[in-house]
Amino acid sequence: MSNLSNQLVKQETEEVARGIRLLLAKPLLTAADDEDGFDLVRRRRDPIAKWFDYYCGWRAHIEPRLGYARLGKVTDLPDPSRPARRLRSSRAPFDRRRYTLLCVAAAELLAAPVTTIGLLADRIVQATAAEPELPTFDPTRRDERSAYVDSLKWLERRSAIRPVDGSTESYLDHADAKVLYQIDTTLLVRLLAAPVPPSRLDEPEIAALLVESRYGDAADPDAAVSENQRNLWLRHSIMRRLIDDPVVYRADLTPAQLGYLASPTGRRIIARGVQQAGCVLEERSDGYLVIDPDAIATDTKFPDDGSHPKIAALLVLDKLNEAGDWLPAGELGLAAAELLDRFRSWGKAYRSDGGAQRLAHDAVEILRAFGLAERRADGAVRTLPAAARYAVERIRTDEAGHR
């Protein structure tokens, strides 16, 4: 019986850790997209939700009957490098118009559990016409219908709306297309992860959406807040950075955060939280790194041959590591041009005028996203300490053949 109990505890520990990492990789996890993953999170929902609440201050809404789990990830450092993207072809980022129509459509969809694409378009016309700050939606224009379709496809992909009859893309060519939607209003409300609802704001500022009143002004070292508030903010702010960012440098942390990590209690709490998530905390003189040995929580990888910029990023990283200092953007462009010349059938999207410079720029953006490099205002680039993990070790031998 004792062995059985130990096995059950071990299984629960492993499943909770896996569930935490699944939600970190997919903050909106649906049974339709990942039946096995959602079933695991559903079964272990209580300890998973408690972990996120205690260590990160995030709420995990797990709806067994509705078939989705939504992790409300809140941060005071929004990442502009992760925009919403069009799902139809180019995967291009949303522009301002598409974001606007997405927000207006989401608001209007709350009115009823079913609607049609035409009725929703009419409601958006009325809503935008009533707001002097917004251009009125014009469904007679193809570019407007394209932006509208992209916003609806984004909601479809997240299971907030489901076409029961017809196809959303048909609206591109015909404004009178017939498409019937079923709306999950509960999930629709959960999509926005913000402590302050937009409807309560006097001024439409992004920073105001992210204010978490429970911390007070704990981020300000001179503010008069309780010790509990200060410790709560320290624990949550540090853990959010560690599990969300590829690498966290000491230079990017406040003195209070560094002090918390240096204290026996703070270090123990953070290490225990990382361990419970099934990850490993690596501490170096320059900063901290949380590693998922199974890559479950990893939404994107490097090195990776999944795209041309990621492949070029390895070449750029070698150049930067060899230089050991700031490299002008022009030199990186030349390195990218050499790569394109060497492999004639590779990187066709970068074969036009200025393609080498674009490839070098995209490669540097990959390195920046992974905390491996930084760019100066004049375009020059240099490596950051974590880039040493990818340095090529050159082995030399003497005349006697000794390494």
Side-chain angles (χ1 to χ4, degrees):
M1 188 67 180
S2 177
N3 286 337
L4 176 60
S5 298
N6 290 338
Q7 290 175 4
L8 292 175
V9 170
K10 181 180 179 181
Q11 180 181 355
E12 179 181 3
T13 301
E14 292 175 348
E15 289 185 349
V16 169
R18 184 177 183 86
I20 290 169
R21 286 175 287 165
L22 284 171
L23 279 178
L24 287 174
K26 295 180 179 179
L28 177 58
L29 182 66
T30 65
D33 285 341
D34 186 353
E35 184 176 358
D36 292 338
F38 175 75
D39 184 61
L40 185 150
V41 171
R42 176 192 61 79
R43 286 187 287 107
R44 303 300 185 187
R45 58 186 179 274
D46 288 340
I48 289 174
K50 289 177 180 178
W51 187 93
F52 280 113
D53 178 62
Y54 180 79
Y55 287 105
C56 304
W58 291 337
R59 293 191 65 184
H61 299 277
I62 302 168
E63 301 288 350
R65 294 184 179 179
L66 299 178
Y68 73 85
R70 173 61 169 147
L71 175 62
K73 295 175 69 175
V74 181
T75 176
D76 58 349
L77 299 169
D79 184 2
S81 68
R82 299 293 185 91
R85 293 189 177 274
R86 309 173 199 183
L87 302 176
R88 288 187 293 121
S89 57
S90 65
R91 298 285 299 170
F94 269 31
D95 53 20
R96 186 181 185 88
R97 188 55 171 165
R98 282 167 171 78
Y99 278 121
T100 299
L101 292 179
L102 173 61
C103 294
V104 177
E108 295 301 325
L109 283 166
L110 293 172
V114 293
T115 191
T116 67
I117 198 168
L119 288 174
L120 179 60
D122 292 341
R123 293 181 65 89
I124 292 177
V125 170
Q126 297 173 13
T128 51
E131 294 289 341
E133 295 86 0
L134 300 181
T136 302
F137 176 54
D138 184 0
T140 63
R141 292 170 42 188
R142 184 178 175 84
D143 62 329
E144 286 277 81
R145 295 200 304 273
S146 176
Y148 176 50
V149 166
D150 284 334
S151 66
L152 293 182
K153 292 296 292 181
W154 190 92
L155 292 170
E156 268 185 55
R157 180 67 182 82
R158 282 144 188 85
S159 303
I161 61 175
R162 182 170 64 89
V164 179
D165 184 26
S167 170
T168 303
E169 288 89 341
S170 63
Y171 192 79
L172 275 173
D173 298 320
H174 306 286
D176 58 350
K178 307 299 182 185
V179 187
L180 178 66
Y181 293 110
Q182 187 173 23
I183 305 155
D184 188 336
T185 54
T186 305
L187 177 55
L188 195 61
V189 171
R190 301 285 190 217
L191 289 179
L192 183 63
V196 182
S199 58
R200 296 185 182 178
L201 297 180
D202 295 329
E203 296 294 333
E205 296 180 0
I206 296 295
L209 287 171
L210 305 176
V211 175
E212 297 178 82
S213 58
R214 60 177 165 177
Y215 303 130
D217 294 322
D220 182 357
D222 299 322
V225 296
S226 69
E227 185 177 352
N228 287 338
Q229 282 181 306
R230 183 87 66 189
N231 287 332
L232 191 67
W233 175 79
L234 287 169
R235 182 172 74 239
H236 291 170
S237 63
I238 291 170
M239 187 62 85
R240 290 176 182 182
R241 293 288 303 274
L242 288 174
I243 64 175
D244 238 7
D245 296 348
V247 59
V248 178
Y249 292 107
R250 293 180 185 272
D252 297 330
L253 298 174
T254 67
Q257 290 172 325
L258 290 172
Y260 185 86
L261 284 166
S263 69
T265 302
R267 182 191 298 267
R268 184 172 63 252
I269 290 174
I270 296 299
R272 185 177 64 220
V274 171
Q275 182 183 26
Q276 288 176 2
C279 297
V280 178
L281 178 63
E282 185 175 303
E283 182 179 355
R284 299 295 180 93
S285 60
D286 294 295
Y288 302 85
L289 188 68
V290 170
I291 301 170
D292 177 5
D294 303 313
I296 297 171
T298 304
D299 56 349
T300 182
K301 299 178 181 179
F302 182 82
D304 183 20
D305 59 359
S307 69
H308 294 131
K310 283 189 175 181
I311 295 173
L314 283 172
L315 173 69
V316 170
L317 193 56
D318 283 344
K319 294 286 185 182
L320 292 172
N321 278 327
E322 288 176 4
D325 201 351
W326 294 99
L327 267 187
E331 290 193 31
L332 297 178
L334 291 175
E338 291 175 5
L339 184 63
L340 292 171
D341 289 340
R342 185 177 173 186
F343 302 99
R344 296 287 182 175
S345 61
W346 180 85
K348 293 181 179 180
Y350 295 94
R351 294 288 170 180
S352 58
D353 291 342
Q357 288 73 23
R358 287 189 291 109
L359 179 59
H361 176 274
D362 292 348
V364 170
E365 289 305 301
I366 294 291
L367 297 178
R368 292 180 64 196
F370 281 90
L372 303 176
E374 60 180 342
R375 191 197 301 274
R376 209 163 53 187
D378 62 0
V381 181
R382 72 173 177 183
T383 58
L384 291 171
R389 301 171 70 93
Y390 303 94
V392 177
E393 182 180 353
R394 303 191 182 279
I395 300 175
R396 295 180 174 84
T397 57
D398 58 20
E399 295 180 354
H402 297 127
R403 293 162 61 117

